Amino acid sequence: MKKKITLKHIAKELDVSISTVSKALKNSEEIGRDTKEKIQAIAKLYNYRPNNIAISLKNKRTKNIGVIIPDIVHHFFTTVFRGIEKYANEKGYNVIVCVSDESFDKEVINMEMLANGSIDGFIMALSAETQMKNDFNHLKEVTEQGIPLVLFDRITDDVICDKVIINDEEAAYNAVKKLIESGKKRIALFTTENYLGVSSKRADGYFRALKDHKLETDENLVLELPFQFEKEDKSEAFFERYSFDAVLCVNEIFAIRAMRTAQRMGIKIPQELAIIGFTDGILSKLSSPSLTAVAQHGNRMGEIAAQMLIEKVESDQERESFRTEIIEATIIERESTIH
Amino acid sequence: MKKKITLKHIAKELDVSISTVSKALKNSEEIGRDTKEKIQAIAKLYNYRPNNIAISLKNKRTKNIGVIIPDIVHHFFTTVFRGIEKYANEKGYNVIVCVSDESFDKEVINMEMLANGSIDGFIMALSAETQMKNDFNHLKEVTEQGIPLVLFDRITDDVICDKVIINDEEAAYNAVKKLIESGKKRIALFTTENYLGVSSKRADGYFRALKDHKLETDENLVLELPFQFEKEDKSEAFFERYSFDAVLCVNEIFAIRAMRTAQRMGIKIPQELAIIGFTDGILSKLSSPSLTAVAQHGNRMGEIAAQMLIEKVESDQERESFRTEIIEATIIERESTIH
DNA sequence: CGCCTATACGAAATCGGCTTCGTGTCAATA
DNA sequence: TATTGACACGAAGCCGATTTCGTATAGGCG
């Protein structure tokens, strides 16, 4: 086993000092021509690479970014991560991922693990539990320590930092508008239990669109579904009890489940029921019929988040200015709506 | 902005030496009762945490694991990652993820970025390009440096290290057997272009099952599909040209695409065409009809990989013993097959 | 021949924490 | 009273690389 070699090894081998080796490898003018060449040759021979950890300690810069997300299996978060990783890598940064699993405690633990020097900054989306508890002290502590933080998608106004979101309210509005313009009159909303910021914004857009188009809003047409997969009893009963000709779903899974339930009950899509879901993932593309979806452009979101973070990390000036970048969601029309 | 405080700060504040502070915080017997209490109080007050980087440098242990996967958007890799992250986190390790994007060069660059002290060991699945080129020098260099490496799923015999795989050949065999037992006679195989180790093993199982059950093997019934999404011309033509009553797909996407094409052509599933796909992901669960799938148990795979790696990382003994763990794939029966 | 300066390199501090080895003080004991 | 030892703490080296500052040697010049 080849041991990892250090400046010290090279120095000893050539009987020069460590500083000379260090300078020679940086091609410093200070070092004589042939000494430099000898040192560089040996370094190459041994395939010398400086130790990242030592450099991190010296520079107080790790070139690592910490990403904390509620879930990695969800397509949206995956695409955001992809965007982050791509941009970060181009800039020479590595990405450390922690999954909070929608748990407040895990989120806190993960942040603490990383906040002690392991990373230069955080990119994160809040866990559901954190949003419920409304407790953001772990975030505040981190920002107070001067560690840059970028929140995306699941954000909060209580923490002052850079943010990236989509225009949820408007996107929902436009989706509903599109349904109305295609002739639909009774439009349902399938949403999560309401602590998630994004869901409530989407609901706002939904209601505003109905009002603007003089359609009555019926609280009965709003179905709150649990996070986890379950028997689809609840939604089946909902289909039986209420009549509606279109549905907006706050995520892809809900949309697919709505579609399956409708199909099982012999409802024709999109003629009898049009469906639009948030998140334009593989499910939407590959279901049959394929799903019209609100694309959140996770990749771009991730790239922008990474860009904002790295900008902050690399600027030594401490002017505290924060911005919120809003990404325009776009509707991808497919077979589940009439157009 | 609160500056990050160090042992030095505490030492100066209490007018003791750094070593005293260090020992006091570790509750060393060496330090007097009240000195200890004073130091611990101040440390708590300032919320002191030791700097991970400094500890890493000292211990030559980062408590970071490097994970390199070809793609994060694919469900299988996501679940493996989930398993790794979970186990690693429990053991106090962080996970640095790099995506090779199926590219040899990126894989090499990523490894080099991480191999200089940033991580204690690697877990990875080879990129398609690496498997094609059959060039594993970057892996060998890493293992020669004594950095533990665990390969999963996409492995190679050319590198000596720990490995985790599923019984691909057998799983394919069993899937085909199940199709045959349900009365199917002409079974097609949708596979990737053949450099990927796993695909060829699955093909082996497919052929062996046909032979064992005295069904003729028809090379025409094997369709090689490209990685990327494309117009589905190729498979549509395939459906028109050849007749078959079942298909085994080496991944989920191929299975869903096969199903969509069949549906568009009015073929009834599973009566006229039964489908089994590898990877039991969301697509399989939520398609309609739902897909019978070979579950690869990515989560367990990830957990086991992480366990093997951490075991190696933490054992100081250098007895070089490597093992290959085989995970039993299981078939999850759903609506796309008859049972 | 003596002085000055440029050249080429080395010593040492630093990053933050850990750890080994001293050492000064005080009390107990011979 | 002198010796021993326990106790409580400090000095310093180390991990690996960078960087500032200092200095020996050489040559050039008056």
Side-chain angles (χ1 to χ4, degrees), chain B residues 53-72:
Chain B
I53 299 293
I55 293 176
S56 292
L57 181 60
K58 183 97 233 279
N59 296 347
K60 299 182 162 209
R61 284 280 201 75
T62 61
K63 287 252 171 184
N64 286 157
I65 288 178
V67 172
I68 301 179
I69 49 182
D71 191 346
I72 185 79

Side-chain angles (χ1 to χ4, degrees), chain B residues 33-47:
Chain B
R33 204 190 170 73
D34 36 351
T35 313
K36 264 205 287 201
E37 279 171 6
K38 247 189 296 184
I39 291 175
Q40 287 171 357
I42 287 269
K44 192 160 196 176
L45 176 67
Y46 287 157
N47 194 30

